[in-house]
Amino acid sequence: MKLLKKRGYTGTVRKIVTDNKTEVLGIVGTFKDLMEIGVVESVTDISLDTWLCIPHPDRCFDGQNGMGATREEAIQNTLFVKKSWEGTL
């Protein structure tokens, strides 16, 4: 897994990709920075410094909330599991 950012970007948001960069797994960043780029609309009762990991649309959560005190914790709390029906349609 690799974390990528746009050249010149100084915020916390990173694209999560496979080691060979052929598949996007999701994005991770603080609520504050995710709100600044328009990924998260609003937050209540959660610190803006909390990290959130959002899986790519072809991925799904497996019972975890995707939040954490650190980037690593947020990623660990998000399980990237392929949907069981993927590839059968």
Side-chain angles (χ1 to χ4, degrees), residues 19 24-25 27 32 35 43 53 55 60 69 71 76 83 86:
D19 285 336
V24 176
L25 302 175
I27 62 170
K32 177 182 180 267
M35 286 175 59
V43 177
C53 182
C60 63
R71 175 185 288 147
Q76 183 178 355
K83 294 178 181 175
E86 188 174 6

Side-chain angles (χ1 to χ4, degrees), residues 58 60 81-88:
D58 73 346
C60 63
V81 179
K82 293 250 184 191
K83 294 178 181 175
S84 60
W85 50 264
E86 188 174 6
T88 61

Side-chain angles (χ1 to χ4, degrees), residues 4 12 14 16 20 23 27 30 39 45 48 50 53 61-63 67 70 78 82-83 87:
L4 306 176
T12 63
R14 301 290 185 269
I16 307 165
N20 60 6
E23 188 175 359
I27 62 170
T30 62
V39 173
D45 300 330
L48 294 179
T50 300
C53 182
F61 284 112
D62 193 17
M67 292 188 289
T70 65
T78 304
K82 293 250 184 191
K83 294 178 181 175

